[in-house]
Amino acid sequence: MIQFGISTLLLAVLAQGWNIIGGYTGYASFGNSVFYGLGSYGVGIAMVSLHLPFAVGMALGVALAVIFALCLGLPVLRLKGHYFAIATLALAQIMAAIVSNIGIAGQNIGLVLPPLNDDPLFYELSLILLVLATLTVWWLTRSRFGFGLIAIRENEEGAVVMGVDTTRYKIMAFTLAGIFSALAGGIHAYWITFLDPESAFDITLNVKMIIMAVFGGPGTVLGPIVGSFILSAISEILSSEVTSIAGLFFGVVIVVAVTLMPRGLADVLRRFRKLGWRYFI
């Protein structure tokens, strides 16, 4: 149960991170798994290759994520809609290929981290990180920066006219999302003690965080958390009871969510009393 809790909390952190760039800014990023992988490799390189403590590895992972976000954010965030989504989709594959050829990162073989059999510690770290991510999203709903992101989501041209520095705001949101994804990746890498390019930069992880955020309610404070908890629990039950159906689960969820409740559970709970079943129509 503790291990299931760790996985669920880390997925909730990733969903909250995506919520900043996807839910509040309106840019559907498929590149957050790159930040996750950079955070994982920051910890792996620091602990295995440089023989440094875990905390230094976390800091290294965050630094790599920030540098990546700043360098790639400026050209990529000039794209919009499906062009932006396709561009970010390619980033994970490119980064996996690069890491596979770096000796200090273990190349294709990967890295084996020193084991630490302390699941309660990783649970507490994951919970603290989720609380920090949620408080950050809550702050967005009450800050000038958050209002600027919402303005970009609703009408980017109008936001420019109103004086919002859209380029700077988008890069800041991209970087902030990257920091939380990198921290989640660092915790997960030390927890499972093994790291390779394919698993670290897995695009399916990015799909999961998007589905969870969309299912719970993008652009809300608690929606991504609710979506992560519900879908993780159902997926775990299906994986243990009906293995053949588990692989289809997230595909069905995204079709249902986009078709019947595109604004997520949070919006359903808010408006269902007034509209009833007409809401889904």
Side-chain angles (χ1 to χ4, degrees):
M1 286 301 295
I2 293 177
Q3 291 177 350
F4 168 72
I6 296 170
S7 299
T8 302
L9 290 171
L10 290 178
L11 282 172
V13 171
L14 293 174
Q16 280 288 38
W18 184 88
N19 192 30
I20 296 173
I21 185 68
Y24 281 92
T25 315
Y27 275 70
S29 171
F30 282 86
N32 281 32
S33 55
V34 175
F35 299 123
Y36 176 87
L38 290 173
S40 300
Y41 268 99
V43 170
I45 291 171
M47 298 188 71
V48 177
S49 302
L50 304 179
H51 306 291
L52 296 172
F54 172 63
V56 177
M58 292 285 279
L60 177 60
V62 169
L64 290 174
V66 169
I67 293 171
F68 180 85
L70 294 176
C71 292
L72 272 296
L74 188 59
V76 172
L77 287 167
R78 293 181 182 276
L79 303 173
K80 297 180 181 179
H82 54 279
Y83 296 107
F84 174 79
I86 293 171
T88 54
L89 183 65
L91 293 177
Q93 301 299 322
I94 294 171
M95 189 56 63
I98 293 173
V99 171
S100 298
N101 292 281
I102 298 177
I104 197 174
Q107 297 182 323
N108 282 321
I109 300 173
L111 297 171
V112 179
L113 283 70
L116 178 64
N117 297 319
D118 192 351
D119 284 347
L121 173 62
F122 290 111
Y123 182 91
E124 292 166 4
L125 289 174
S126 303
L127 180 59
I128 291 171
L129 182 57
L130 178 58
V131 170
L132 290 175
T134 304
L135 288 175
T136 301
V137 172
W138 175 81
W139 167 74
L140 287 178
T141 63
R142 288 159 174 77
S143 67
R144 181 183 179 87
F145 174 57
F147 291 146
L149 297 182
I150 294 172
I152 293 172
R153 180 189 69 193
E154 298 299 327
N155 189 330
E156 188 166 345
E157 289 75 15
V160 173
V161 173
M162 295 299 292
V164 177
D165 188 347
T166 55
T167 300
R168 181 167 63 90
Y169 273 46
K170 288 186 293 184
I171 292 176
M172 290 172 63
F174 198 48
T175 303
L176 192 58
I179 290 173
F180 287 115
S181 299
L183 290 171
I187 293 173
H188 188 261
Y190 194 21
W191 177 44
I192 64 172
T193 70
F194 177 73
L195 195 57
D196 70 313
E198 185 177 352
S199 62
F201 300 99
D202 186 6
I203 189 63
T204 60
L205 183 63
N206 210 115
V207 174
K208 281 186 178 181
M209 67 179 85
I210 293 175
I211 293 173
M212 289 174 173
V214 171
F215 182 80
T220 62
V221 177
L222 298 178
I225 299 177
V226 174
S228 301
F229 287 3
I230 293 176
L231 296 185
S232 293
I234 297 175
S235 178
E236 183 71 16
I237 294 171
L238 290 177
S239 296
S240 58
E241 299 294 337
V242 194
T243 309
S244 59
I245 299 178
L248 303 174
F249 174 63
F250 282 103
V252 173
V253 167
I254 196 168
V255 171
V256 172
V258 170
T259 305
L260 298 181
M261 46 183 216
R263 296 183 181 180
L265 281 177
D267 190 66
V268 174
L269 295 175
R270 184 167 56 247
R271 300 174 60 196
F272 186 78
R273 285 186 178 181
K274 180 179 179 181
L275 297 177
W277 294 105
R278 288 178 299 152
Y279 176 90
F280 299 105
I281 297 174

